[in-house]
Amino acid sequence: MIIMARDRDYPDLLEGVRGGRVLVWTCNTCARLCRGLGGREAAEGLASRLSADGAEVSGVVSSSACCLMSKALSMAESAPEHDLILALCCDMGARNASAATGSPVLNPVVTFGPGYLDEDGNPRVASVVCGTTVVDESVEEAASRSGCSPGPFRVPSHAIL
């Protein structure tokens, strides 16, 4: 499993997608499991919020493991017309979105690397070298250390939809 968090808040994301038709591209595997950063439900909620705030959203596409090129190509085949892809997935899923569609990609997600879900279902970043765990921290710890935030994009409480 790949652990990731978002690198900006909703107002900055909204500003970054204005001016063209946006396709929200997401992974139903790792991104969904990382506190709901991605996945179909989070992507559809974000697309709805972006639309309500004036962004032109052409649609949402999702798949398990969009880091696999075969999945990305299937997503691209079902994608509506767009000018920009908003990728809610790891770096490889965003790379595949670009390669499969030829479109520019905005990926507001930081990929920390391999990890796992602990016994309570909490995502943790882990690094094992020669059988020894050298890093094991929660996604919240990794995000805080990197100036990021875990979980889905949230509309500020003062925003009116």
Side-chain angles (χ1 to χ4, degrees):
M1 178 173 167
I2 300 298
I3 306 299
M4 61 202 94
R6 57 189 167 81
D7 69 359
R8 66 196 77 189
D9 290 324
Y10 179 78
D12 295 326
L13 178 70
L14 177 62
E15 199 56 40
V17 300
R18 290 193 189 277
R21 296 168 297 173
V22 179
L23 173 66
V24 182
W25 176 287
T26 192
C27 176
N28 284 322
T29 308
C30 299
R32 179 182 57 82
L33 295 172
C34 284
R35 299 268 191 246
L37 171 67
R40 183 101 188 155
E41 186 177 331
E44 288 176 347
L46 179 59
S48 177
R49 291 181 216 138
L50 290 168
S51 291
D53 286 336
E56 185 180 349
V57 178
S58 64
V60 172
V61 293
S62 65
S63 175
S64 62
C66 62
C67 57
L68 302 175
M69 185 52 93
S70 61
K71 302 278 185 161
L73 290 169
S74 292
M75 291 168 71
E77 286 177 10
S78 66
E81 297 247 349
H82 59 277
D83 302 307
L84 172 72
I85 292 177
L86 172 58
L88 301 178
C89 56
C90 70
D91 293 341
M92 290 311 300
R95 178 240 173 250
N96 285 352
S98 177
T101 64
S103 300
V105 174
L106 171 62
N107 185 11
V109 175
V110 173
T111 299
F112 295 119
Y116 65 99
L117 294 181
D118 69 14
E119 62 276 2
D120 296 320
N122 299 309
R124 299 189 63 83
V125 178
S127 180
V128 178
V129 177
C130 297
T132 301
T133 301
V134 294
V135 174
D136 190 338
E137 63 184 343
S138 71
V139 69
E140 290 82 6
E141 291 167 327
S144 176
R145 183 175 40 78
S146 301
C148 298
S149 300
F153 286 91
R154 304 205 187 282
V155 177
S157 58
H158 63 275
I160 298 173
L161 297 179

